[in-house]
Amino acid sequence: MRRGFFLSFEGLDGSGKTTQIRKLTAQLESRGHKVTVVRQPGGTRIGDRIRQILLDSRTDGLAPLAELGLMFSDRAQAIAEVILPALGAGQIVICDRYTDSTEAYQGGGRQLGSKVILQLHELMCGGLQPDLTILLMPDFAKSLHRARRRNERNARAGNDEGRFEQEAEDFYRRVYEKYREIALRDTGRVAVIEGDDGIEDVHHQILRIVEDRLR
Ligand code: TYD
């Protein structure tokens, strides 16, 4: 089966992933690439239902391991329904979050550790890893501030997806540190973009990295 290119975006809530994915997708499509974008959790009909349970701030009492299981169930569905078929058709697949998020948030944030996540990744995702991961690491405090502001806006609009954004700063510190650990471990796959050079600048940095890998 012909294989396309698998790219994931990672970073804290409010790190600017979604904006950058939108810009990169437009750029790649204008050059004639076929691009499929999938967000996690969500991105499939079943995944969107799982997302609702996971992100609704009215969901309470969800055990960390149950949360972990739902993240992987969502991912297994996206792999079967969207990711593998698109890669098989030779497309570029862009995932807004993938297993690194689970390692950072559930492994780091919820303190389940990396080992169980990497084991489940083998089992549930057949070990499928992105060819390239762009990890956005703007200033910690700025990301958090942006995420909280966005969440308040969404909640006012009746779209309550703030279960994670309610977490304390300690939780996000652990997520941030786990991302750093992943980047140091997986230097061949993970490209880290530090700081906040503005949307256009970051976009051009990303474009250079992606073009280089696609060649
Ligand atoms: P989302 O609204 O997609 O946030 P963002 O736009 O910042 O990516 O919400 C996804 C939330 O789910 C985010 O807080 C991170 C969390 N998450 C995990 O905890 N584990 C995971 O495996 C994934 C994919 C997401």
Side-chain angles (χ1 to χ4, degrees), residues 9-18 39-42 51 54-55 67-68 70-72 74-75 96-106 110 147 150 154 161-165 171-172 175 179:
F9 272 74
E10 292 286 350
L12 280 187
D13 308 63
S15 59
K17 284 181 290 92
T18 309
R39 70 167 175 183
Q40 292 191 354
R51 178 181 173 93
L54 281 166
L55 301 191
E67 179 181 285
L68 175 65
L70 287 174
M71 291 294 179
F72 272 112
D74 165 69
R75 188 160 303 128
D96 187 344
R97 300 191 177 281
Y98 193 66
T99 295
D100 294 328
S101 279
T102 317
E103 192 176 346
Y105 284 76
Q106 280 66 50
R110 299 266 187 250
R150 178 185 62 186
N154 288 346
E161 290 197 332
R163 200 170 66 87
F164 282 95
E165 277 97 338
F171 175 90
Y172 280 104
V175 173
Y179 269 135

Side-chain angles (χ1 to χ4, degrees), residues 9 13 20 30 36 58 101-102 105 118 125 173 179 195 200:
F9 272 74
D13 308 63
Q20 292 300 337
S30 77
T36 292
R58 286 163 306 187
S101 279
T102 317
Y105 284 76
L118 298 177
C125 309
R173 258 297 157 209
Y179 269 135
E200 284 308 314

